[in-house]
Amino acid sequence: MGAPVLTRFLPHVLLFLLLLAGSAVPAFADSDDLLKLDRGWEFRWGDSPVEADGVPAWVRSPEPAEWQAIGFPSNPPGREGREHVWFRITLPDGEWQDPVLYIFSVDIIVQVWLDKALIYQYGTLDAEGRGRFEGWPWHEIPLPGDFQGKTVYFRVFSNYTDIGLWGEVGVLDHAQLVLRVIQQSAEGLIIATLTGLIGLLALVFALIQRSQRSFASIALFAFAVATMLVAESQASQLVLAQPLFWDYLAAGSYYLIPVALALLLQQWLSGHGPTAARWLWKLHLVYLIGALGLSMAGWLDLSMTFPPFDALLLVTLVILMVSAGRRVRRLAAEQRLLLATFALFSVFLILDMAVAHGVLPWGRVPVSWGALGFSLAIISIALWHYSTTYQALYNLTGQLEQKVAERTARAEGLAQREAARASLLSLESRKNETLFDLISTLQDSASVDEAFQRLASALPGLYQPVAGCFYQHQPDGRYTRLVTWGNLDQSFPDQYGTAMLLPADTPTLIAADQVPDQLSFRLRLQTAQPGAEPAGLLLLARPAFPELVQDYSLVRLIGWVQQSVEKIAITLSALVLREELRRFSYEDGLTGLKNRRHFDELFGHEREVSLRTGRPLSLLMFDLDHFKQFNDDYGHEAGDEALRHVGRILNRHFRGSDVVCRYGGEEFVVLMPGAPMAEALVRAETLRHLIAGEPVVVGHQPLAHLTISGGVACWPDTTDQFDALMRAADAALYQAKRTGRNRVEAAGQQQPLP
């Protein structure tokens, strides 16, 4: 009953909020502290020349004959394409503690001069007195204490349809101005809050009733109106002094309103709605994206997008009202209410556009109230429809609940049987805790071998009282038994050979009377190679507990064992992949030798050992002679085989304590701890002869013999600085290349070895 009651009273709650907002607004009535400057204005077309000290000539020399009287400093007569105009007025007398000059808005850039001094500027002007649109904020201009009776000048540039000051201009204290801004913004912010709540409510219902697209359109309209009211409120500038940001936000939400309106009319007047609506919302959506996109890209000023949109919006509203009005007789009562509130909102929008473009004198048009009324009408009708539908569903649910109650009575008998299985569930819970501890232990293992040892120790406690054993898969393909527990039949062999037929995996879903005497579960691990590798085999004897055989509990137990084996396999697979990743990070994939990363880390370790023990450390660096020519002659596949050929020789020739690495490309390094220079040279020469004496074989076809050029350096024989050891070996390598290749040079030695 919760949802029907909610939807039944929501319209009343919304009406109460509307009345509350209406009663709260008078408390924020406009302050009378503003001394409006609505008399004594004069204007002058054009832009003043600037004197050497940067002061405009018109400020320094009033020239009364050139100035003309005007009722308000906005859109003087005879513009004729002009973009510059000056206004002036004599400031009144009065008593203020912190006086400021307040301007509601300016189109679009303004400078304010007083006593031949620039006291305020909004916007940036170039050398020609022109600039880009930077927003429509309200302006607060601090005034000096002796401003009374002085003339203030306003230099205005505008390439917009309007030019000059707009709205209200007056003098008041700073604190009074802040209070006035808050008071004038209160009504719009309250209505924006209510409209936003309506949008949030509609969004909730849109998520609940996804088939009702109208709720999404209601939410779109409400959020667009609420955002527009917040962005256009003067108080927003007190929160964030970024006028252009608020203007972009206001423009985006303003341009989105006709999209939501057309969608709403198309959906709510389904069957009778204007066919033009579907084209109009698409047209406005294209305009929204294009206008904001071009403005943000800097290709045109945001201000220039408003006049075309207002003209397009006016045409859209007229088309929608006329097209829908022709069908009013065929509409239901709630649809007529929707059209009436839409018409009222449209009239307010048209009046607001007329004021904005100077067709009507300046004044505040209650567009926000029209939007709130339209939103309330839409959401109320939508909730009424939703409540009706939900009530029908509720009645159907009652019938279903009655049938469920009948089936529940039958199910109670089955529930009693489940009580007998409580012991099994308790056992399963304890086994899950044991399995969790085992998984944690395996994850902490340093290697896969260590993990298997821990696994063998933990398996008896995991699967008892069921007897069983566990086999580990060996590299030769055999399965070797690691552990046995319980009274296991001795017929289980110690090893399974590769040729022996292994028991098949026991299905997890099987009738209790079909469970075999021997249950088998394979342990397969995922590696870097495709597919799963065999790793182990778990064999369990059939449980002999009567309470398990009588019902499906045996099958449930088998299913749990299968899941536990899979979890263990996942954990061990992670360890295998971790070891393979560690090996790959230090191993060259082509030759199987260690890579440069491994060499750099081990070199630092061996350096510390040599410093501590004083034993010598030799380094051989060599590369293959004319390897590029070898690749060009025989192809890159033969070149790869040549590198593998050299890697095999290196592995055979050097000691286990030596570190052989492929340093990069065809370059190799050998680190020989404990080997003095003489020994290192002998081993390097032996390696050179071995490589030169064995041809590269590709596909059983011998190819050319390779030769190497190498350099040997030794600490401390060659240098007493470890940091210079690599450079010394590299220099010896290049000396070998310069002196004919196929040789080994010792660092610091001028003649090659024989």
Side-chain angles (χ1 to χ4, degrees):
M1 289 293 293
V5 171
L6 179 64
T7 53
R8 187 182 306 160
F9 287 101
L10 270 175
H12 303 286
V13 174
L14 293 174
L15 180 60
F16 170 74
L17 292 176
L18 179 61
L19 295 175
L20 180 64
S23 61
V25 169
F28 295 97
D30 289 348
S31 171
D32 294 327
D33 296 323
L34 177 67
L35 180 58
K36 295 183 179 181
L37 303 181
D38 51 6
R39 295 182 182 179
W41 286 97
E42 294 180 316
F43 78 95
R44 182 174 181 179
W45 284 114
D47 200 8
S48 171
V50 179
E51 298 183 353
D53 57 357
V55 178
W58 293 357
V59 173
R60 193 182 301 277
S61 177
E63 300 179 8
E66 301 296 332
W67 295 82
Q68 304 178 49
I70 188 173
F72 188 80
S74 177
N75 294 323
R79 181 175 183 180
E80 298 177 355
R82 296 184 179 97
E83 295 182 343
H84 294 87
V85 65
W86 281 70
F87 299 98
R88 70 180 183 182
I89 192 173
T90 301
L91 296 175
D93 295 332
E95 295 183 1
W96 293 277
Q97 296 180 354
D98 187 11
V100 296
L101 181 64
Y102 165 68
I103 305 175
F104 186 84
S105 183
V106 174
D107 289 318
I108 58 175
I109 299 178
V110 62
Q111 286 183 342
V112 183
W113 295 82
L114 182 68
D115 271 349
K116 305 178 183 62
L118 179 66
I119 64 172
Y120 182 78
Q121 176 170 328
Y122 182 78
T124 304
L125 296 173
D126 57 18
E128 298 179 355
R130 298 172 56 85
R132 292 184 60 84
F133 173 76
E134 297 186 24
W136 276 313
W138 54 271
H139 303 269
E140 178 187 10
I141 306 170
L143 294 173
D146 58 346
F147 71 90
Q148 293 91 341
K150 295 182 179 180
T151 300
V152 61
Y153 293 82
F154 301 84
R155 178 192 182 192
V156 178
F157 162 79
S158 176
N159 57 358
Y160 185 56
T161 55
D162 294 334
I163 188 170
L165 284 57
W166 195 77
E168 297 176 324
V169 182
V171 180
L172 74 170
D173 280 322
H174 167 73
Q176 295 170 344
L177 175 58
V178 174
L179 179 61
R180 178 184 179 84
V181 167
I182 296 175
Q183 289 173 341
Q184 291 183 344
S185 302
E187 176 182 339
L189 293 177
I190 292 175
I191 295 177
T193 302
L194 294 177
T195 308
L197 290 175
I198 292 173
L200 184 61
L201 179 64
L203 182 60
V204 171
F205 277 94
L207 295 176
I208 297 175
Q209 293 285 330
R210 297 188 179 181
S211 60
Q212 296 291 332
R213 293 181 297 173
S214 58
F215 281 115
S217 300
I218 295 171
L220 178 64
F221 174 79
F223 287 143
V225 170
T227 304
M228 182 185 71
L229 294 178
V230 171
E232 290 184 346
S233 68
Q234 291 182 302
S236 63
Q237 196 171 327
L238 296 176
V239 177
L240 179 64
Q242 296 291 334
L244 196 56
F245 165 77
W246 292 112
D247 286 336
Y248 268 105
L249 197 61
S253 54
Y254 180 43
Y255 295 168
L256 196 59
I257 287 177
V259 176
L261 282 175
L263 283 172
L264 283 169
L265 290 180
Q266 178 184 341
Q267 294 162 358
W268 277 95
L269 304 181
S270 178
H272 305 288
T275 56
R278 68 173 59 92
W279 298 105
L280 288 174
W281 74 260
K282 295 177 182 178
L283 175 62
H284 278 276
L285 184 61
V286 171
Y287 187 90
L288 163 68
I289 298 173
L292 295 186
L294 293 176
S295 300
M296 292 180 179
W299 292 350
L300 71 138
D301 288 341
L302 179 65
S303 60
M304 305 307 296
T305 66
F306 280 91
F309 175 80
D310 288 339
L312 178 61
L313 178 59
L314 178 61
V315 174
T316 298
L317 293 176
V318 171
I319 292 175
L320 291 177
M321 285 193 294
V322 172
S323 181
R326 293 170 56 188
R327 300 167 173 82
V328 68
R329 294 183 179 180
R330 291 175 286 173
L331 300 179
E334 66 272 12
Q335 292 176 321
R336 293 182 183 181
L337 174 62
L338 178 69
L339 279 184
T341 54
F342 167 70
L344 179 62
F345 177 56
S346 299
V347 169
F348 285 157
L349 279 178
I350 294 173
L351 292 176
D352 189 61
M353 285 189 287
V355 172
H357 293 286
V359 178
L360 295 178
W362 185 86
R364 299 181 184 274
V365 180
V367 176
S368 57
W369 285 100
L372 180 59
F374 184 57
S375 301
L376 285 173
I378 296 173
I379 195 67
S380 300
I381 296 172
L383 290 176
W384 178 78
H385 280 288
Y386 177 76
S387 177
T388 304
T389 305
Y390 194 93
Q391 187 63 44
L393 292 175
Y394 179 78
N395 296 334
L396 180 60
T397 303
Q399 299 174 5
L400 294 176
E401 287 179 351
Q402 183 178 358
K403 295 181 179 180
V404 170
E406 296 173 356
R407 295 183 180 181
T408 302
R410 294 194 299 268
E412 289 178 353
L414 298 176
Q416 295 176 357
R417 294 179 57 191
E418 293 297 325
R421 302 188 178 100
S423 59
L424 176 63
L425 295 177
S426 176
L427 174 64
E428 191 173 300
S429 176
R430 294 195 302 271
K431 293 304 180 182
N432 281 330
E433 294 179 1
T434 305
L435 177 61
F436 177 79
D437 294 339
L438 172 59
I439 295 298
S440 300
T441 301
L442 295 180
Q443 289 174 341
D444 294 336
S445 301
S447 65
V448 177
D449 292 338
E450 180 182 344
F452 267 98
Q453 295 302 320
R454 293 183 176 184
L455 178 63
S457 301
L459 284 180
L462 179 63
Y463 294 122
Q464 284 179 345
V466 180
C469 62
F470 179 74
Y471 295 86
Q472 183 179 4
H473 185 264
Q474 302 300 328
D476 61 358
R478 292 180 175 272
Y479 286 84
T480 304
R481 186 159 58 176
L482 291 185
V483 63
T484 304
W485 62 91
N487 297 323
L488 187 66
D489 188 348
Q490 294 302 318
S491 62
F492 283 67
D494 291 335
Q495 280 194 349
Y496 276 112
T498 55
M500 182 177 293
L501 180 62
L502 293 179
D505 289 335
T506 302
T508 55
L509 294 178
I510 186 172
D513 58 354
Q514 297 177 351
V515 175
D517 293 334
Q518 188 182 97
L519 308 176
S520 63
F521 304 89
R522 297 181 191 273
L523 184 67
R524 298 181 178 90
L525 304 186
Q526 297 291 333
T527 65
Q529 301 299 323
E533 297 289 338
L537 180 67
L538 173 67
L539 296 182
L540 297 178
R542 176 191 171 100
F545 310 123
E547 63 273 14
L548 296 182
V549 178
Q550 290 173 358
D551 50 37
Y552 77 81
S553 299
L554 177 58
V555 178
R556 184 186 184 101
L557 177 63
I558 294 173
W560 180 86
V561 174
Q562 182 68 43
Q563 293 177 5
S564 66
V565 171
E566 292 176 355
K567 292 180 180 179
I568 293 172
I570 292 174
T571 305
L572 293 177
S573 296
L575 292 176
V576 171
L577 292 173
R578 187 175 68 188
E579 285 192 354
E580 290 184 348
L581 180 61
R582 185 186 300 115
R583 179 171 57 85
F584 291 156
S585 65
Y586 289 102
E587 186 175 288
D588 177 50
L590 181 63
T591 63
L593 302 175
K594 300 301 182 181
N595 57 19
R596 180 171 182 173
R597 176 182 177 185
H598 178 77
F599 172 80
D600 291 340
E601 293 183 3
L602 194 63
F603 181 74
H605 170 74
E606 293 298 337
R607 176 183 61 186
E608 298 300 325
V609 172
S610 296
L611 284 173
R612 186 170 62 253
T613 62
R615 70 176 184 176
L617 180 64
S618 293
L619 175 66
L620 165 63
M621 180 178 292
F622 72 90
D623 63 11
L624 304 180
D625 296 330
H626 306 296
F627 187 67
K628 181 179 182 304
Q629 185 63 41
F630 184 91
N631 274 333
D632 293 341
D633 292 343
Y634 301 105
H636 289 283
E637 292 185 1
D640 291 344
E641 180 58 34
L643 294 173
R644 287 191 287 266
H645 169 74
V646 173
R648 290 191 292 269
I649 295 176
L650 286 169
N651 279 328
R652 294 198 310 265
H653 177 60
F654 285 96
R655 305 172 304 176
S657 60
D658 297 333
V659 181
V660 182
C661 301
R662 182 185 176 191
Y663 203 65
E666 68 271 21
E667 189 172 9
F668 298 82
V669 292
V670 181
L671 194 63
M672 294 173 281
M677 172 64 85
E679 180 183 344
L681 285 172
V682 170
R683 287 158 64 183
E685 275 296 319
T686 303
L687 173 66
R688 183 178 69 83
H689 287 292
L690 287 174
I691 293 176
E694 294 187 22
V696 178
V697 178
V698 178
H700 305 290
Q701 178 65 37
L703 302 181
H705 291 255
L706 297 174
T707 62
I708 63 171
S709 297
V712 180
C714 179
W715 179 90
D717 297 344
T718 301
T719 175
D720 58 356
Q721 299 293 327
F722 277 103
D723 293 340
L725 195 60
M726 287 288 293
R727 294 194 298 272
D730 190 56
L733 167 62
Y734 279 95
Q735 176 65 19
K737 287 179 175 292
R738 286 192 297 268
T739 55
R741 303 181 186 270
N742 191 17
R743 62 183 61 223
V744 175
E745 291 282 354
Q749 198 171 342
Q750 300 302 321
Q751 298 297 329
L753 294 175

